[in-house]
Amino acid sequence: MKILSIFLLGLLVMGSMALTGCLDDPEETEDTLLRMGFAWPTEIDPATGTDKSSTTAFTNLYDPLVFPTQEGVKPWIAEDWDISEDGTVYTFNIREDVTFHSGRDLTAEDVYFSMERLVTMGEGFAHLFADYIDLDASQVVDDHTVEFVIHEPRGVFLPSLVRLYIVDKEEILENAVEGGTFEYEPWGNDLGRDYLITNDAGSGPYQAYEVVVEDHVYMRRFDDYWGEMHENAPDEFRMLALGEAATERTMFRRGELEITSEWLPYEQVELIAEQEGGVKGAYPEGGAFFGMMHTRKPPLDCVHVRRALAYAYDYDSQIDDIFPESELMQGIVPVQLGGALDLEMPRMDREAAMAELEQSQYYPEIIDNPDDYEIEASWTGEVAATERAASLLGEAGDALGLNVRIARYAWGSLIDAMYDEDESPHVAMVWVTAHYPEAGSLLEARYHSRNARSWEQNEWLQDDEIDSLIDEALSEPDLETRYQLYADIQEKLFELMPSLFLHTQYSMHVMQPYIEWPHVENPEEEALAGIGFNIDLRRIGVTPPGER
């Protein structure tokens, strides 16, 4: 309910908040625009959101402590760091040339506060740190040095810090609300939660100037940004709540949309590219499409029923007919993530599926009286392709004599349902992308009990052994040993088959020909494994109108 709570709170705003000093409408100037479609809602508070549109907003409004690369992480707000011999003390030296959008200098105090706020609020990416960080022992050493102490060695602490987005402490506390819906102790206020629904408090390359919670986020380029920018980085970035193919095609034709959303059916992407003069492109992001099977809801509480569905699904058709830019899964997590293990994954074999079903405690009643064992497979109304994927699951059930009913959910309603064990559907067809570029990121997000009540899980596995193995792996400081622990976890999950492992996610878009986007044009060298980091306006160019 947490994500929905902030969304519903934001709806009460029912309007936009313009920041003081915002510039003229670029449609009346020579400024360059980049307008792009996204699934909604979008949260711009880096302590609450985790989905694609929200993390894209974070990438452009905020700076993280360190930044992801294909090899690991690189210095960013932290220009260098030291790690104690026992692996529990991290000392970060903070850049001295970073200015917040408010005009204040970014200091180590802001870095410490950003961690404190995230952990205190306990949402978004807080689960990456909350159980490990010792805030009482951590300290601000001086204006440009911060020391984070963790309770025990945690090998993934450093790569996780790509999700510590630095916020302006003074800006937030000046705008914090007392006595409202949320109040965090010992602060006695909402830590700027209400304010950050429609404002940002970042130092990133763009600054929010208009947010209508249910419709759009508008950002202007921040002139005092400290980092490098593409020479033709857009003057304005407009994130739009879209996803309907006809609307996006019309907007693209009229020059009102520079990049389509990633959720359009493939045939519509092809039409826009071929008939409207667009350029098609796709990139992997370290994510995958899963059929999340509720392991505590009959009949999917039986592993043999889950395996039967896994062997009955038509994997080739989903690639050929629905997601041709994607690739079949070769394991539990995508191959782009460090520590991913190749496994002999299920492929359509109806005989093997029936053999599994016959071993189930529900056989033969499950096919003699299928209505008594209905399996609900959800699909997301905003993403038409999920209906087709759910239909393939329905066909797989029909082939076995099972009753698989597909059900349409609005994305917000599905999120709401997935927070409740009783309300969660039998199967949720959902994409999940890594938070940082290691297998452990998805293994924790997808299968650890502490993340069960989130949109990233519908399995309700809650397996003590899996939890313990994940914790052990994430704590291991030695990379090779950590990867071996990841392999052990993946093998155990393969035996449990809590999910349908459908395909590795490739985000697919159509661009106007005057857009330069290296992550799409050269994904092998440029694409990053981490949700939201590939739509980085620092790296994207928009050719000025007079030069097209």
Side-chain angles (χ1 to χ4, degrees), residues 156 203 228 328 344 375 398 465 542:
V156 299
S203 62
E228 294 183 3
L328 292 178
E344 190 173 346
I375 298 170
D398 289 343
E465 181 184 13
V542 180

Side-chain angles (χ1 to χ4, degrees), residues 10 72 89 102 109 216 254 279 305 315 341 355 367 382 392 445 468:
V89 181
S102 65
E109 183 69 33
H216 66 253
R254 293 175 175 173
V279 178
V305 178
Y315 298 88
L341 179 67
I367 58 175
E382 295 88 337
L392 284 179
S468 178

Side-chain angles (χ1 to χ4, degrees), residues 354-372:
M354 185 54 71
E356 287 287 349
L357 194 61
E358 289 173 356
Q359 297 180 65
S360 166
Q361 68 204 58
Y362 297 111
Y363 185 84
E365 288 82 5
I366 195 171
I367 58 175
D368 290 342
N369 299 291
D371 290 347
D372 294 339

Side-chain angles (χ1 to χ4, degrees), residues 211-244:
V211 179
V212 175
V213 174
E214 67 275 23
D215 187 71
H216 66 253
V217 176
Y218 291 173
M219 310 175 190
R220 289 287 301 182
R221 185 167 167 172
F222 180 47
D223 290 337
D224 292 329
Y225 186 62
W226 62 273
E228 294 183 3
M229 298 282 284
H230 191 290
E231 63 178 352
N232 286 329
D235 295 297
E236 178 167 343
F237 181 35
R238 293 186 175 182
M239 302 178 65
L240 309 175
L242 295 174
E244 201 280 316

